[in-house]
Amino acid sequence: MSTENEGTAVPPAPSAPPVPVDAPAAPAPQGQPPQGQAPQGQAPQGPGPYAQDPQGQSAHGQGAPGDAARHGVSSSAPDPSWPPPPPPASPPYGDGGSGSGGGWGSSYQQPAPKSGRGRGGLVAAILAAALAAGGLGGGLGYTLAKNNDENTGSTTVSASTSGGDVKRDPGTVAGVAAKALPSTVTIEAESNSGEGGTGTGFVFDKQGHIVTNNHVVAGAVDGGKLTATFPSGKKYDAEVVGHAQGYDVAVIKLKNTPGDLKPLTLGDSDKVAVGDATIAIGAPFGLSDTVTTGIISAKNRPVASSDGTGSQASYMSALQTDASINPGNSGGPLLDAQGNVIGINSAIQSTGNGGFGTGQSGSIGLGFAIPINQAEYVAQELIKTGKPVYAKIGASVSLDDSSGGAQITDQGTAPVEPGGPAAKAGLKPGDVITKLDDRVIDSGPTLIGEIWTHKPGDKVTITYERGGKEHTVDLTLGSRVGDN
């Protein structure tokens, strides 16, 4: 499965015609309601990447025509003046671009340059307008209710306690969020050229280390600028301690580390079961400290993604969740129902249609997280040495997206590393690896993702085919330091 890492640009909202208003009906006899009058209500509000379907076909698309027309339909006769003239033509949804239907390692939407605040200002204006409209509607509703109360003598009943006084137990979503939010940060990364984006991270230890995705901070690795902002509003400058592109994990460290940091508790991703509740925290589309919920919808999902710079792809055997994850959630914690971190939110799969007139897509309920057992090991190595350490079998495999297994290539000067684990186990070019322990291997990227869930020195069982016959062999994984 090929996915995109989450982008960071905030898309503008589309223009839309106003909701039609019913024509006035003929006066009804006193004491009877007007016939055919449509009930009053509020117009529905709409929501504001690795874009292939499970069969590998392009999954880009646009909304069905006529969807908007279904809102605000009235049974009364329309006034001849309606509908009003159409607004100026705007680009169709998704016109900003669609991803290609390529194979493993397809690129994601590159973060938008931070220079110029026009788009952020537009979003702020849109949000403010929505709030203003909500306030106006509330005011009208209150006035009508008040007049109605005076005319009918009806009364209202108030709750005995306000929302702020309600006890929220630790096992509830609200309880988990209240405990975890103070230990999450919104990360802003800016390169030397001024380009940047927004992601998320969480407190890993009391020394000020923050764990996030490599693709969140990659632009700031070589002398760029990093800041981390807590929900309290406190902002700290930070620096990259180490980053692992293959794992898509990075560790940054706060400068002037505060003394009251509370690291999030790490869970055990190996014990997670399909159907377990999940809670995701992040900054989707720049909206910091957002909490969404869902379940674990699958485990050991092979995912490959790229940061869009033409460099090597990242591979993971991911936890899949339907908790809403969008651009900006990258690097944030995926929590279980007790508030333990079980994964790092890293990628989503969606249609290529971005909505809002852009090519940037949002959640369709297919999010992928790096299992925390793997991420914890990587983070600890990065803190110790600044470099990632990868497990390896010492053989080059084809990266073609297939279903028959991972074939050891016969290309290159040494497709099987002399003296490496695969050579010692008797593997040869042309062999097709179909299992690693009890995990079915259907392609080269799947094999890489599964190998990287292990540590160097782990013993594994390899099942492979040669000349139409199946063979099994044990080998001890070797190690490789660094991304090159």
Side-chain angles (χ1 to χ4, degrees):
M1 176 182 297
S2 176
T3 67
E4 298 177 42
N5 299 116
E6 301 158 27
T8 54
V10 180
S15 60
V19 179
V21 178
D22 294 335
Q30 275 190 329
Q32 296 183 10
Q35 298 297 317
Q37 182 172 335
Q40 293 182 347
Q42 296 180 342
Q45 303 208 0
Y50 303 11
Q52 295 180 336
D53 63 16
Q55 287 73 35
Q57 300 297 320
S58 175
H60 310 313
Q62 297 183 352
D67 288 347
R70 287 195 289 270
H71 298 298
V73 175
S74 169
S75 60
S76 61
D79 189 290
S81 65
W82 288 94
S90 59
Y93 294 122
D95 191 40
S98 60
S100 65
W104 295 89
S106 59
S107 63
Y108 80 112
Q109 183 76 22
Q110 190 72 2
K114 285 191 68 179
S115 59
R117 302 185 181 274
R119 178 168 291 182
L122 174 62
V123 173
I126 293 170
L127 293 176
L131 292 172
L136 175 63
L140 290 175
Y142 171 78
T143 301
L144 293 174
K146 183 174 184 297
N147 292 339
N148 188 56
D149 287 348
E150 291 175 350
N151 293 334
T152 64
S154 65
T155 60
T156 59
V157 178
S158 300
S160 59
T161 59
S162 65
D165 296 329
V166 176
K167 181 179 179 181
R168 291 173 173 85
D169 296 330
T172 63
V173 173
V176 170
K179 184 177 180 180
L181 274 169
S183 297
T184 61
V185 296
T186 298
I187 298 173
E188 294 183 7
E190 185 175 310
S191 67
N192 289 325
S193 63
E195 295 184 350
T198 302
T200 309
F202 62 92
V203 177
F204 187 69
D205 58 29
K206 293 184 177 181
Q207 286 70 46
H209 292 111
I210 305 293
V211 172
T212 185
N213 281 141
N214 172 71
H215 74 263
V216 170
V217 302
V221 167
D222 297 323
K225 182 180 179 181
L226 276 177
T227 61
T229 304
F230 285 84
S232 64
K234 293 182 179 180
K235 179 180 288 189
Y236 297 87
D237 290 332
E239 59 185 355
V240 177
V241 172
H243 61 107
Q245 182 180 355
Y247 291 121
D248 198 14
V249 174
V251 176
I252 67 174
K253 190 176 188 299
L254 304 178
K255 298 179 181 179
N256 302 318
T257 303
D260 58 349
L261 290 179
K262 295 182 179 179
L264 291 182
T265 304
L266 305 184
D268 186 348
S269 52
D270 289 341
K271 295 183 179 179
V272 171
V274 173
D276 283 352
T278 58
I279 301 169
I281 299 179
F285 296 107
L287 300 175
S288 301
D289 316 320
T290 296
V291 177
T292 55
T293 64
I295 62 168
I296 294 292
S297 51
K299 294 180 61 177
N300 306 309
R301 184 72 74 193
V303 173
S305 59
S306 170
D307 63 3
T309 63
S311 50
Q312 297 177 352
S314 301
Y315 300 96
M316 66 180 113
S317 182
L319 296 175
Q320 179 179 305
T321 180
D322 67 347
S324 182
I325 297 174
N326 287 289
N329 275 103
S330 284
L334 183 68
L335 310 171
D336 62 17
Q338 288 71 46
N340 304 311
V341 182
I342 55 174
I344 301 176
N345 301 317
S346 298
I348 61 174
Q349 179 163 348
S350 70
T351 63
N353 180 9
F356 284 137
T358 75
Q360 190 173 39
S361 303
S363 172
I364 59 169
L366 288 173
F368 305 101
I370 303 167
I372 194 59
N373 290 9
Q374 176 182 355
E376 180 183 12
Y377 162 73
V378 177
Q380 290 172 341
E381 290 297 322
L382 293 175
I383 293 172
K384 289 178 183 177
T385 68
K387 296 181 180 180
V389 179
Y390 298 90
K392 68 174 186 177
I393 64 170
S396 298
V397 295
S398 172
L399 297 181
D400 292 338
D401 191 359
S402 64
S403 59
Q407 184 175 24
I408 299 178
T409 64
D410 55 5
Q411 301 176 357
T413 56
V416 177
E417 178 187 333
K424 292 179 179 179
L427 294 175
K428 299 179 180 180
D431 290 346
V432 179
I433 298 174
T434 57
K435 278 187 178 182
L436 190 149
D437 291 335
D438 59 347
R439 295 276 187 267
V440 174
I441 303 300
D442 58 7
S443 66
T446 301
L447 176 63
I448 295 172
E450 286 297 332
I451 290 173
W452 286 355
T453 63
H454 293 76
K455 301 175 183 178
D458 285 354
K459 293 183 178 180
V460 297
T461 300
I462 298 291
T463 302
Y464 66 96
E465 293 180 356
R466 178 189 297 169
K469 295 182 179 180
E470 186 176 270
H471 306 271
T472 300
V473 65
D474 295 331
L475 60 79
T476 301
L477 296 174
S479 66
R480 172 173 64 85
V481 178
D483 280 310
N484 297 324

